[in-house]
Amino acid sequence: MKIKYYAGINKTTEKIIQIDKIVKTKLDTRIFDFGFDLLSIKYIDDQELYNLLDLRIRNKKDWIKILSLIEVNDDIEKDNMK
């Protein structure tokens, strides 16, 4: 999964995370229509260390798409282990 995000003011960063290396996801949703949701992705990086990526997401469709990619792949991995 390739995620392109703003790491700071006028600075765009691209992060590639292997779906099978994702250990945990946590979603904190907003109560009101304004603001953002927070999606935390804990994963194992290229150096086999735990890493955490926190994404603030304004558009709910974006985090639904990201989570569905993670869930679909997780289901495929579980089926392959049977």
Side-chain angles (χ1 to χ4, degrees), residues 12-72:
T12 303
T13 302
E14 204 170 81
K15 177 77 70 176
I16 297 174
I17 300 173
Q18 288 181 266
I19 299 265
D20 60 336
K21 298 285 187 172
I22 293 176
V23 177
K24 182 180 179 183
T25 58
K26 180 181 178 194
L27 177 64
D28 292 319
T29 58
R30 60 190 154 193
I31 297 171
F32 304 105
D33 286 338
F34 57 88
F36 56 85
D37 299 312
L38 178 66
L39 175 61
S40 298
I41 302 173
K42 184 177 180 181
Y43 64 97
I44 300 172
D45 63 15
D46 296 337
Q47 300 167 354
E48 297 298 319
L49 300 172
Y50 285 100
N51 207 334
L52 181 66
L53 179 64
D54 286 329
L55 300 172
R56 293 183 203 166
I57 302 172
R58 290 189 191 274
N59 187 348
K60 288 185 183 269
K61 290 180 183 177
D62 291 338
W63 62 254
I64 290 170
K65 183 178 178 181
I66 293 169
L67 285 174
S68 66
L69 285 171
I70 294 168
E71 288 296 318
V72 165

